[in-house]
Amino acid sequence: MTEILLKIGTRGSPLALAQTHEVRRLLAAANGCDESRFAIVVIRTTGDMIQDRPLSEAGGKGLFTKEIDAAMLNGEIDVAVHSSKDLPTAMPEGVAIAGYLPREDVRDALVSVHADSIAALPPGATLGTASLRRQAQVRRLRPDIQTVLLRGNVETRLRKAEAGEVDATILAYAGLKRLGLAHRATAVLDIDTFLPAVGQGAIGLTARTNDAATHLALGRIVDADTGYALAAERAFLAVLDGSCRTPIAGHARVALGRISFRGMVLRADGSQIFEVEMNGATSDARKLGAEAGHDLLSRLPAGVLG
């Protein structure tokens, strides 16, 4: 019988499983053994079970992670694979972020049978999404567009948009690429006009804080530059106490030991945006992100943060 080296926990959606199989492949290659030495454990989360309302109304951050965290602390799994934008800003005691895989494309993608851009959507078009950030950024560009709740996995949302149940939807381009569905994107939205969510495009790996052997194994596959970028983005979000109830966007770029960060808070209807940009050394990534958050926080009118 094959000895299992690590048990990897994940949600059961096609995208979550695709990400987890990629982690298992990389772990096997980096540790010089067969993929069968790494068991995949599927865990159903509260976020997966809630489909009839926005997650912002059901508790926000942590709905896709708390059952997985509990399984880790109970010893049922050793590693967890997450879409990084689902990770809460404050991790539960005993669970630590071990790092991130090299980041995929961070951009959002428009899917529509009616138009090849947000500007070209028909007057009063309906856009299906559960993301307050996407709603606010669309309304900023097109105040006439009506947003409606659209939950479900990537394939479900694609099908509903392509069947005309809504005029358009917006999805993370990274998810489409990981599922081999990039060709289904009608247009990829430029970061300068449509800033992504904090953590978008990055696969995050968590482990028990005191599990040195697992951290060592994961250290062979994680990417340092993605770690710097996410440190800045997550520090920015933490200062703003970002939850699913406030439209917040943030993105850090890393090159040649330097990091450039841009963050944004929007009113829910897109009528106002508040932005900040900062640059610095990657060694100061977390400090830079926090400073950007404090700078923006000092300029926000009362009532903007939910």
Side-chain angles (χ1 to χ4, degrees), residues 97-108:
I97 297 173
Y100 308 88
L101 296 192
R103 200 172 201 172
E104 244 294 359
D105 198 311
V106 302
R107 295 173 295 173
D108 284 301

Side-chain angles (χ1 to χ4, degrees), residues 32 47 90 110 127 129 137 192 243 253 266-267 290:
L110 177 74
L127 182 130
T129 180
Q137 292 196 89
D192 290 338
S243 71
R253 289 184 172 95
L266 303 94
R267 287 199 184 273

Side-chain angles (χ1 to χ4, degrees), residues 189-214:
L189 306 179
D190 189 85
I191 292 175
D192 290 338
T193 56
F194 214 92
L195 199 63
V198 163
Q200 187 155 305
I203 296 172
L205 306 175
T206 63
R208 285 180 293 277
T209 304
N210 60 0
D211 187 348
T214 296

Side-chain angles (χ1 to χ4, degrees), residues 250-273:
H251 177 237
R253 289 184 172 95
V254 175
L256 302 175
R258 301 289 294 176
I259 187 165
S260 58
F261 174 80
R262 179 180 170 218
M264 178 188 294
V265 173
L266 303 94
R267 287 199 184 273
D269 62 1
S271 61
Q272 280 185 292
I273 63 167

Side-chain angles (χ1 to χ4, degrees), residues 28-62:
N31 290 278
C33 59
D34 192 82
E35 290 184 27
S36 62
R37 303 289 298 277
F38 301 91
I40 293 176
V41 180
V42 175
I43 299 166
R44 196 172 188 209
T45 70
T46 302
D48 295 312
M49 292 181 263
I50 298 171
Q51 296 292 323
D52 61 344
R53 61 193 188 277
L55 295 181
S56 57
E57 298 176 4
K61 291 283 186 180

Side-chain angles (χ1 to χ4, degrees), residues 106-120:
V106 302
R107 295 173 295 173
D108 284 301
L110 177 74
V111 178
S112 175
V113 296
H114 299 292
D116 60 2
S117 68
I118 292 172

Side-chain angles (χ1 to χ4, degrees), residues 21-292:
H21 281 284
E22 174 66 5
V23 170
R24 182 167 73 168
R25 183 187 68 78
L26 291 171
L27 277 171
N31 290 278
C33 59
D34 192 82
E35 290 184 27
S36 62
R37 303 289 298 277
F38 301 91
I40 293 176
V41 180
V42 175
I43 299 166
R44 196 172 188 209
T45 70
T46 302
D48 295 312
M49 292 181 263
I50 298 171
Q51 296 292 323
D52 61 344
R53 61 193 188 277
L55 295 181
S56 57
E57 298 176 4
K61 291 283 186 180
L63 292 175
F64 287 123
T65 60
K66 64 180 183 179
E67 285 85 0
I68 295 175
D69 291 336
M72 179 174 289
L73 293 172
N74 289 337
E76 298 167 36
I77 60 173
D78 306 298
V79 179
V81 180
H82 298 282
S83 293
S84 293
K85 62 184 180 180
D86 292 336
L87 289 169
T89 49
M91 298 299 294
E93 186 176 353
V95 177
I97 297 173
Y100 308 88
L101 296 192
R103 200 172 201 172
E104 244 294 359
D105 198 311
V106 302
R107 295 173 295 173
D108 284 301
L110 177 74
V111 178
S112 175
V113 296
H114 299 292
D116 60 2
S117 68
I118 292 172
L121 285 167
T126 57
L127 182 130
T129 180
S131 164
L132 296 185
R133 174 190 63 87
R134 289 173 177 148
Q135 289 178 29
Q137 292 196 89
V138 166
R139 287 169 175 163
R140 173 193 173 198
L141 299 171
R142 287 282 306 276
D144 62 298
I145 287 179
Q146 305 298 308
T147 57
V148 297
L149 178 66
L150 186 63
R151 292 287 318 281
N153 62 35
V154 171
E155 292 90 338
T156 297
R157 287 179 282 165
L158 277 173
R159 185 172 63 252
K160 289 183 176 181
E162 292 170 347
E165 291 186 34
V166 291
D167 294 314
T169 190
I170 295 174
L171 302 166
Y173 192 43
L176 293 176
K177 292 177 74 173
R178 290 186 177 118
L179 288 168
L181 300 172
H183 61 285
R184 306 273 286 276
T186 307
V188 182
L189 306 179
D190 189 85
I191 292 175
D192 290 338
T193 56
F194 214 92
L195 199 63
V198 163
Q200 187 155 305
I203 296 172
L205 306 175
T206 63
R208 285 180 293 277
T209 304
N210 60 0
D211 187 348
T214 296
H215 281 271
L216 180 64
L218 295 175
R220 300 185 179 113
I221 67 171
V222 299
D223 180 65
D225 281 353
T226 303
Y228 292 130
L230 268 288
E233 292 175 20
R234 286 174 55 79
F236 169 75
L237 193 64
V239 167
L240 296 171
D241 196 24
S243 71
C244 292
R245 296 184 299 277
T246 303
I248 297 175
H251 177 237
R253 289 184 172 95
V254 175
L256 302 175
R258 301 289 294 176
I259 187 165
S260 58
F261 174 80
R262 179 180 170 218
M264 178 188 294
V265 173
L266 303 94
R267 287 199 184 273
D269 62 1
S271 61
Q272 280 185 292
I273 63 167
F274 309 90
E275 295 188 76
V276 62
E277 292 190 37
M278 286 195 177
N279 301 279
T282 52
S283 56
D284 293 326
R286 187 171 284 103
K287 179 183 175 185
L288 182 147
E291 288 178 353

